[in-house]
Amino acid sequence: MTPPALRYHRRVTSRPAVSLAQRKRQLVVDELTEAAFRLLTAQGFDTVTVDEIAADAGVSKRTFFRYFASKEDVIVRFLTDLGAGISAELAARPAAEPPSAALRHAVSVPLAACGEHGDRALRAVQLILRTPALHARFLERQSEWRAQLSAELARRLGLDPAADLYPRLAAGMALTAFGAVLERWSDSDGAADPAALTARAFALLAPALDAPAH
């Protein structure tokens, strides 16, 4: 079964046809990811070993390390794949759209994907946000998204990313909103609506985000 985050990532990116070897590789990655989610969300991050994840997926420990550097990398893939599409979503927004609206739409797509996948996604997000090692790895990935968002914002607004502070500051605000919504959704055990939370967050940020457009 393909993890939801991977289905989302495939939907927002165009990929050429893959070879049989690549499909087999992806199958192993998917099996390891499913096994990690199943064990880590049920038993807790600290108690599960790489050996147990590999055994549950039906592969060797050596095979595990062929695809992942650590068990942190397996579980963080979920949010990494969701966030990887934010800059692509921003690039697809109409050129005349205010920055706050464009960024809100871009961020709302992966947040909506979390809500759509229900309990499984909620348990994964809670595990990532509540486990220091996973949260730290997630923040590392966000630094990559910030650079991508900064570049796209600079392109849209005709700004020099090396000289103008706005693109990086705006990207940081958008990703802070993304993280705040995830945390509130997680703390509410899924009761809060990600779309409503996102709208509230960007309503607060809109004056600062739209300043260059004025």
Side-chain angles (χ1 to χ4, degrees), residues 21 25 86 90 120 143 158:
R25 176 184 175 85
I86 294 177
L90 178 61
R120 183 180 185 279
S143 68

Side-chain angles (χ1 to χ4, degrees), residues 42-162:
Q43 301 177 29
F45 179 79
D46 292 329
T47 62
V48 177
T49 66
V50 168
D51 298 83
E52 291 172 322
I53 295 172
D56 191 84
V59 301
S60 67
K61 183 177 180 179
R62 181 177 180 181
T63 297
F64 175 95
F65 285 116
R66 189 178 302 154
Y67 296 97
F68 298 102
S70 65
K71 61 181 181 180
E72 289 92 339
D73 285 342
V74 184
I75 205 73
V76 170
R77 170 188 287 269
F78 179 81
L79 288 184
T80 296
D81 286 345
L82 289 181
I86 294 177
S87 60
E89 293 290 345
L90 178 61
R93 300 305 303 173
E97 193 170 44
S100 65
L103 284 166
R104 176 170 59 84
H105 283 292
V107 167
S108 69
V109 173
L111 289 170
C114 283
E116 289 168 3
H117 297 309
D119 184 63
R120 183 180 185 279
L122 176 62
R123 287 184 289 116
V125 170
Q126 288 176 334
L127 180 64
I128 290 170
L129 296 182
R130 297 173 184 178
T131 306
L134 293 176
H135 196 195
R137 192 63 59 88
F138 175 50
L139 292 176
E140 288 177 9
R141 297 296 184 272
Q142 280 201 38
S143 68
E144 300 171 7
W145 307 344
R146 185 180 298 107
Q148 296 165 358
L149 275 177
S150 296
E152 178 55 31
L153 282 167
R155 185 196 66 78
R156 288 173 64 87
L157 297 174
L159 300 175
D160 180 358

Side-chain angles (χ1 to χ4, degrees), residues 2 10 15 25 37 41 82 102 139 157 171 198 203 208:
T2 304
R10 288 167 185 164
R15 294 183 178 180
R25 176 184 175 85
F37 269 109
T41 57
L82 289 181
L139 292 176
L157 297 174
T198 304

Side-chain angles (χ1 to χ4, degrees), residues 192-210:
D193 178 13
L197 292 172
T198 304
R200 286 170 55 193
F202 278 88
L204 294 171
L205 297 176
L209 290 172
D210 292 339

